[in-house]
Amino acid sequence: MGELVFLAVGLAMDAFAVSVTNGMCLKKCGLQEIFAMALTFGLFQAAMPLVGFWGGSFFYEQIKA
């Protein structure tokens, strides 16, 4: 359980750092750009563990013997 918490914090810190640097690079951005960026990061952060779980499940069947 502890490893999962550390992994979640690490992923959140990574996304936060990228968001901060993107915000510093943009001169002006409206609400549409802000929400699009937040949605993009949120979707990718949610999809990565799911893809990893799916890939691990697939390879488990290949190497369990």
Side-chain angles (χ1 to χ4, degrees):
M1 179 69 175
E3 296 92 6
L4 183 61
V5 171
F6 286 129
L7 180 63
V9 170
L11 283 173
M13 289 170 40
D14 177 50
F16 178 74
V18 172
S19 298
V20 168
T21 54
N22 278 344
M24 290 169 45
C25 291
L26 295 175
K27 300 288 184 212
K28 280 194 132 193
C29 60
L31 283 177
Q32 185 175 4
E33 289 87 6
I34 291 170
F35 285 121
M37 192 180 313
L39 182 64
T40 303
F41 281 117
L43 288 175
F44 275 99
Q45 291 295 322
M48 281 189 273
L50 294 174
V51 169
F53 178 77
W54 177 76
S57 297
F58 174 75
F59 285 113
Y60 173 77
E61 293 296 324
Q62 303 294 324
I63 62 172
K64 73 178 178 181

